[in-house]
Amino acid sequence: MSEENTVGGFLNGRDTISTKDAKIYITIDGRIIPMIDITKVTAKLEKNKEDIQVLGNHWKLKKITSVEGTGTLGGYVISSNWLKYALPYIQGGKDLYFDITLTIEDKTSRAGKQTIHLGEVNLDDIPIADFEADDGVMEWESDFTFERLELVSAFTGFDL
């Protein structure tokens, strides 16, 4: 980190990234849909490891054998789209796989912009109804898996 981007060698608070500046788009059959209803998205790679034990070593060693992409989407229910996308599969047709593009750029931060593409995304469950006798609004949340990952553009503001 260059000295101009720090205050006395520490992170400048303005350079943290506000999550409210994220934009999420999904692509289904070539159609790009801005996800204006999303309130939460997480994605991570989980490493699958096998135990390795050898004579003469008391340590249990680990060997990475594969990775799995997992995440969570959540938001407000403002349409019947997720249910419409689920119907073909439950009626004997194909399941829905789609892509997610995640972009975040906090213009106050000097970190820059990052865009990530997740491919072959498949929801673990489909929102149908969420009714409660309180002052809330309809929301949904689903875990998902993905099978492709691309860092389209990385943050460029800091060279750590």
Side-chain angles (χ1 to χ4, degrees):
M1 192 183 294
S2 70
E3 192 63 33
E4 68 186 47
N5 290 335
T6 64
V7 176
F10 296 97
L11 174 68
N12 189 322
R14 77 178 208 175
D15 290 321
T16 58
I17 301 163
S18 171
T19 59
K20 291 187 177 190
D21 292 308
K23 293 186 175 149
I24 294 104
Y25 300 88
I26 65 171
T27 304
I28 299 175
D29 295 328
R31 184 173 162 229
I32 300 171
I33 304 164
M35 297 302 293
I36 61 171
D37 58 326
I38 296 297
T39 59
K40 173 184 179 176
V41 62
T42 64
K44 66 182 179 180
L45 288 176
E46 294 182 25
K47 296 178 182 179
N48 297 312
K49 300 178 181 182
E50 294 293 324
D51 291 341
I52 306 296
Q53 296 185 35
V54 295
L55 295 174
N57 189 345
H58 292 259
W59 283 91
K60 185 184 289 186
L61 309 173
K62 301 291 182 180
K63 173 67 176 177
I64 299 168
T65 58
S66 63
V67 293
E68 179 180 17
T70 63
T72 302
L73 274 177
Y76 298 111
V77 176
I78 61 171
S79 74
S80 300
N81 285 346
W82 291 118
L83 184 54
K84 288 178 185 176
Y85 295 137
L87 289 175
Y89 180 72
I90 62 175
Q91 295 170 345
K94 69 177 188 165
D95 196 8
L96 174 66
Y97 284 83
F98 57 95
D99 293 350
I100 298 177
T101 302
L102 310 161
T103 300
I104 186 144
E105 180 180 24
D106 177 347
K107 300 221 186 265
T108 302
S109 172
R110 291 174 283 199
K113 177 179 176 179
Q114 177 174 270
T115 300
I116 298 167
H117 180 249
L118 307 177
E120 299 299 322
V121 177
N122 185 262
L123 295 179
D124 290 354
D125 45 55
I126 305 298
I128 296 175
D130 180 18
F131 307 137
E132 295 182 35
D134 63 7
D135 290 334
V137 296
M138 285 181 57
E139 297 181 77
W140 68 278
E141 184 172 295
S142 177
D143 292 331
F144 65 86
T145 56
F146 61 93
E147 298 172 2
R148 287 195 335 257
L149 169 66
E150 178 185 358
L151 178 59
V152 177
S153 63
F155 292 122
T156 58
F158 298 96
D159 186 25
L160 303 175

